[in-house]
Amino acid sequence: MQITANDITLEIEDHGPADAPAMILIRGLGTQLVHWPENLVEGFVNAGLRTITFDNRDVGLSQRFPTPGVPGDPDEITEKLMSGTGIPPAYTLDDMARDVIAIMDARGIDKAHVFGISMGGAIAQILALDHADRLLSATIVMTAARPLLERGRIADMLPRLLARPETLDEAQDNWVAGHASFGSPGFPVAEEDIRAEARLAWARSADPEGINRQLLATLAAPDRRPRLGELTTPCLVIHGVDDTLIPVELGREIADHIPGAEFHAIKGMGHIITPLLAPQIVSLVCDFIRRQA
């Protein structure tokens, strides 16, 4: 369904009883609500959680943000960044965190658990830092606290992160290649299922410029490590031992900076939550929530 939140239009899905404790799932760079495994969402609902999924701004069926002076073309972005030219983002991760709070307001939710992966894990950190009064807990998955440009050479990162126009066949092939490159080798997915998911995502949105604007927001985010010691929200950090995009050490670093945080490294997990992995994730999160209560 389409809702207005934070003065923009966002696509959301609301699962489970309206009077149950709320869990909001926050996706990573360029991905959509359809990329959540069905059994992950169902697992949270069956555990007694009202579970909300949504398309972040600039992807899926949510509002786009073309902005004068902010490039969306991958070659222009690469040229500017490699030459040291600063690129102002169309919005920030703080704006995206406020989108989450606005979704809660629109759905009548006072406090919620949040679960964010990759870029969504960065947003979950911001929510815990700046909107702690609205959170019950934060689960921070496959992400980092240090700035993106500190994690490696930009020339190596950009080709992996920037999006380009692609046909339906290319979208399927690229998502199969993505699973092979940074997926979860211990929890594999059949190729036909990967292709089906890519077809669904492509049909909802084939817009690389929106993804690239999300990347610019991520690049503009400051180092969160100096502030993580302030957190009082119960935090669970989960990371894959086999994550080839964001090394597991960067997840452990987040937990080390947050007082009382729990850290779980999962062998065989990479940078994608697959249906085979979902039950283990649900179990870890729900056990953590029960113990906090």
Side-chain angles (χ1 to χ4, degrees), residues 36-47:
W36 292 116
E38 288 184 9
N39 62 332
L40 181 84
V41 176
E42 292 170 357
F44 286 132
V45 171
N46 291 338

Side-chain angles (χ1 to χ4, degrees), residues 70-82 87 158-166 207-213 215-216 219:
V70 180
D73 177 75
D75 293 327
E76 183 179 356
I77 292 172
T78 299
E79 181 182 356
K80 286 182 178 295
L81 291 177
M82 293 302 293
I87 305 176
L158 288 179
R160 303 185 77 182
L161 299 176
L162 284 167
R164 295 180 178 277
E166 55 187 9
D207 180 10
E209 293 200 354
I211 296 172
N212 293 338
R213 286 190 294 268
L215 176 59
L216 292 176
L219 287 168

Side-chain angles (χ1 to χ4, degrees), residues 52-232:
I52 293 178
T53 61
F54 69 103
D55 289 332
N56 281 308
R57 57 169 68 197
D58 246 343
V59 299
L61 302 182
S62 288
Q63 184 174 327
R64 296 296 187 272
F65 286 84
T67 304
V70 180
D73 177 75
D75 293 327
E76 183 179 356
I77 292 172
T78 299
E79 181 182 356
K80 286 182 178 295
L81 291 177
M82 293 302 293
S83 67
T85 303
I87 305 176
Y91 46 82
T92 67
L93 296 188
D94 300 83
D95 293 318
M96 299 179 79
R98 284 188 284 271
D99 292 346
V100 175
I101 298 300
I103 289 171
M104 293 169 60
D105 291 341
R107 304 305 292 167
I109 298 168
D110 180 43
K111 293 177 180 284
H113 303 281
V114 296
F115 176 103
I117 65 170
S118 199
M119 180 187 73
I123 294 169
Q125 293 170 59
I126 294 168
L127 287 164
L129 286 166
D130 296 337
H131 304 276
D133 59 321
R134 303 296 301 274
L135 264 57
L136 296 169
S137 74
T139 299
I140 300 164
V141 186
M142 60 176 78
T143 192
R146 62 177 63 195
L148 182 58
L149 292 181
E150 281 193 15
R151 303 181 210 168
R153 294 178 61 250
I154 190 168
D156 296 331
M157 291 190 300
L158 288 179
R160 303 185 77 182
L161 299 176
L162 284 167
R164 295 180 178 277
E166 55 187 9
T167 66
L168 175 56
D169 286 343
E170 289 170 338
Q172 294 179 80
D173 291 343
N174 289 339
W175 195 222
V176 170
H179 271 261
S181 175
F182 53 82
S184 293
F187 306 90
V189 185
E191 181 173 328
E192 62 187 46
D193 294 331
I194 299 173
R195 290 184 176 277
E197 185 175 76
R199 288 194 298 271
L200 179 57
W202 188 90
R204 296 175 88 244
S205 171
D207 180 10
E209 293 200 354
I211 296 172
N212 293 338
R213 286 190 294 268
Q214 286 189 348
L215 176 59
L216 292 176
T218 304
L219 287 168
D223 192 338
R224 290 177 294 278
R225 288 173 294 178
R227 295 188 60 203
L228 292 180
E230 306 169 9
L231 290 184
T232 57

